[in-house]
Amino acid sequence: MTFRPSRLVYAQLDSKNPDAEVDHYTSVIGLSAVERSGEFSYLSTGADHHNLVLRKASDAKCTTLGFQLPTGTDLAAFETSLKNQGIKTAKKSDSKPGIGQMVTFVDPNGFQLEVFVDQTAFGKGFAETGIRPTKLGHIAFNVPDVQEAVSFYEHTLGFKVSDWMGDFFAFLRCGPDHHTLNFVKGPNTKMHHIAFEVRDFMHIRDACDRLGQDRIPLIWGPLRHGIGHNIAMYHHDPDKQIVEFYCELDRVVDGMDTFEPRPTHQEVPQRSKTWTDIPLAANMWGGLPPESFLD
């Protein structure tokens, strides 16, 4: 039996300067500061206790992803399924606020996965300042072996591939959103970007204006990706981590593996495929990213 998470709930980032990171993610991005406990700061987009965890460390990097399984899932059976695949697991209690029981394990690239069923949702609600995204949407990683990463998440956590860009960039989903995780081939294993959903194109415009007020330049965008068809924009946080804001991401029709119809689609119906027209896959509006973008 394969257990598939319902959603990505949080990411944990190590930071050399967590105070600057907290300030950026609260005052500019518009997350709510929910709790500070020792070396950890917990920030929320609104409903969850935390969607971003920041920890002081010597290097800036993503270390951990938190996924929620569907309500009623037997967490013990999930752990057994991992052990049957030869995966070393640990069961933790109350290791994150609001999460009583979780199973933790490590993926092939060294990122810790924390998987749970039940949590207490006691976020502060949406912030009153900043860009104020609606949710944490997806995380992208540079990895040396994309096929290995894809195979692990398909077989271990039931993820499905939505699209490929050539043979070097994979887009995977665990729910109806086109992608929850991305893996792109790169020489170094690291987070490529963290992405937050916003309401619509006007929210993208307002986000650009908000970054402009703080003299924070865009790396790339606004643009419309061909893969996923979302409108997107990218900037650096104080640790030089890439942050994406996006809207209008494709959604998959449940049980059909076709995407909800959109006027921007190249085919009707739009289905999962390997994109060979790389410029179109990257940006329907033209303009490729800076050369260093996928490093």
Side-chain angles (χ1 to χ4, degrees):
M1 180 178 181
T2 301
F3 295 82
R4 182 184 304 136
S6 297
R7 64 186 185 119
L8 169 68
V9 180
Y10 61 84
Q12 181 172 306
L13 305 183
D14 282 357
S15 174
K16 294 180 286 188
N17 190 351
D19 289 340
E21 286 283 278
V22 168
D23 180 68
H24 181 78
Y25 281 94
T26 53
S27 65
V28 178
I29 291 183
L31 304 186
S32 294
V34 176
E35 182 178 342
R36 196 161 200 164
S37 177
E39 60 185 350
F40 296 97
S41 295
Y42 297 92
L43 310 180
S44 175
T45 60
D48 298 303
H49 177 275
H50 55 274
N51 304 108
L52 181 64
V53 183
L54 296 170
R55 179 180 68 173
K56 184 175 178 60
S58 57
D59 295 313
K61 60 184 179 180
C62 178
T63 63
T64 307
L65 299 178
F67 292 100
Q68 186 171 21
L69 293 167
T71 300
T73 300
D74 185 333
L75 192 62
F78 168 70
E79 184 177 22
T80 298
S81 76
L82 296 177
K83 290 180 177 179
N84 289 340
Q85 298 175 65
I87 297 170
K88 185 178 180 180
T89 67
K91 196 165 187 178
K92 296 183 178 180
S93 300
D94 301 319
S95 60
K96 288 284 194 302
I99 302 173
Q101 300 288 328
M102 67 168 62
V103 172
T104 70
F105 55 105
V106 177
D107 79 0
N109 290 289
F111 298 105
Q112 176 158 296
L113 306 182
E114 300 181 344
V115 181
F116 57 93
V117 177
D118 300 314
Q119 68 163 339
T120 302
F122 55 111
K124 286 189 174 182
F126 288 100
E128 296 182 358
T129 59
I131 294 166
R132 300 192 297 166
T134 57
K135 72 176 184 181
L136 172 64
H138 60 269
I139 310 285
F141 293 100
N142 287 80
V143 295
D145 190 335
V146 176
Q147 291 286 354
E148 178 188 44
V150 169
S151 178
F152 177 85
Y153 280 89
E154 283 183 317
H155 294 106
T156 303
L157 286 171
F159 276 69
K160 293 186 176 182
V161 174
S162 293
D163 281 306
W164 279 89
M165 183 187 292
D167 62 356
F168 64 91
F169 203 160
F171 297 74
L172 286 77
R173 68 183 188 274
C174 64
D177 287 351
H178 179 273
H179 51 275
T180 312
L181 294 177
N182 302 345
F183 295 102
V184 60
K185 185 175 179 60
N188 301 309
T189 300
K190 63 176 183 177
M191 184 180 79
H192 180 267
H193 68 266
I194 182 170
F196 295 92
E197 183 182 71
V198 296
R199 295 184 304 275
D200 52 28
F201 187 61
M202 290 299 98
H203 202 171
I204 291 281
R205 179 204 64 184
D206 293 345
C208 291
D209 287 339
R210 184 66 178 82
L211 293 176
Q213 290 170 4
D214 288 306
R215 303 292 180 91
I216 300 171
L218 298 183
I219 304 168
W220 189 29
L223 60 107
R224 185 185 290 279
H225 292 301
I227 292 184
H229 298 92
N230 48 309
I231 298 173
M233 53 176 278
Y234 300 84
H235 76 280
H236 279 130
D237 73 11
D239 276 340
K240 297 301 179 183
Q241 301 282 16
I242 299 176
V243 180
E244 176 190 1
F245 292 115
Y246 71 90
C247 65
E248 299 185 12
L249 181 67
D250 279 340
R251 289 173 65 85
V252 180
V253 179
D254 187 36
M256 295 183 63
D257 287 334
T258 60
F259 306 156
E260 293 177 355
R262 304 279 176 85
T264 51
H265 287 173
Q266 285 71 38
E267 293 135 24
V268 180
Q270 189 81 45
R271 300 180 185 274
S272 299
K273 67 176 185 177
T274 297
W275 291 64
T276 56
D277 187 337
I278 304 305
L280 179 66
N283 185 4
M284 289 173 57
W285 296 346
L288 294 176
E291 288 187 9
S292 61
F293 188 73
L294 293 180
D295 290 347

